[in-house]
Amino acid sequence: MYQPVKIAPSLLSADFMRLGEEVAMIEAAGAGFVHIDVMDGHFVPNLTMGVPLLKSLKPATSLVCDVHLMIDNPLTEIPWFIEAGADLVNVHAEVLTEEELVRAVAMIHEAGCKAAVALKPKTPVSALAPVIADLDMALVMSVEPGFSGQSYIAGSDRRVAEAAALARAAGNEAMLIQVDGGIGEVTAPLVAAAGADVLVCGNAVFKAADPAAALQTVQAAA
Ligand code: DX5
Ligand code: ZN
């Protein structure tokens, strides 16, 4: 059945002095998720937001709180983010062994949350294999993680198609595919055609003159 692509605006590009208004604006504009980029200054060079922000955000929105953990030690931190209100937890495959990846997904599911595994642009899609049958979502990064406002890496749509094929082969037809980095009006149709279900948008939404209209333009383009 056809499901419209959902937009997940990334708060990293929002105005932190007006965060409440920004979240209300994306919700009114029809966003499906709110994407929270957690960075630790180790896995990526940047430091951003964490548990206290999620705690304040959760009761203020009915959007799916989509937590993207760009951190070295997700196994230690997962329970904190779940307790703070995460609906969906994204862990990076690069920081976990196969056994730890299985453990992370199980830990997220046992807490009643949705589990996703994120891949940096150079990580083979086959890194999803140990958990793909159980995943709610895979996150294909289309920029190197760390900063918003970067350009989409050409060919990322092929990785989306690869992830979709891997999920189908594992019998996980329900797995969503999220794409993150450099997504806007021009790149959204490429990744949507390759099978993306959820598009993260940072600058394309929050840095637009009319962010609500920009969100709807990207969604329509997809
Ligand atoms: C990058 C983050 C992204 C980023 C997206 O490490 O994971 O979510 O904020 O921003 P844009 O859409 O501007 O590339
Ligand atoms: Zn992200």
Side-chain angles (χ1 to χ4, degrees), residues 58-77:
K58 179 64 183 174
T61 183
S62 54
L63 292 169
V64 173
C65 290
D66 163 26
V67 176
H68 180 188
L69 294 178
M70 285 165 276
I71 62 177
D72 272 345
N73 53 343
L75 284 172
T76 328
E77 300 295 320

Side-chain angles (χ1 to χ4, degrees), residues 10 12 35 37 39 68 70 145-149 180-182 200-203:
S10 160
L12 191 54
H35 186 80
D37 285 306
M39 303 189 188
H68 180 188
M70 285 165 276
F147 300 92
S148 53
D180 185 4
V200 177
C201 292
N203 279 19

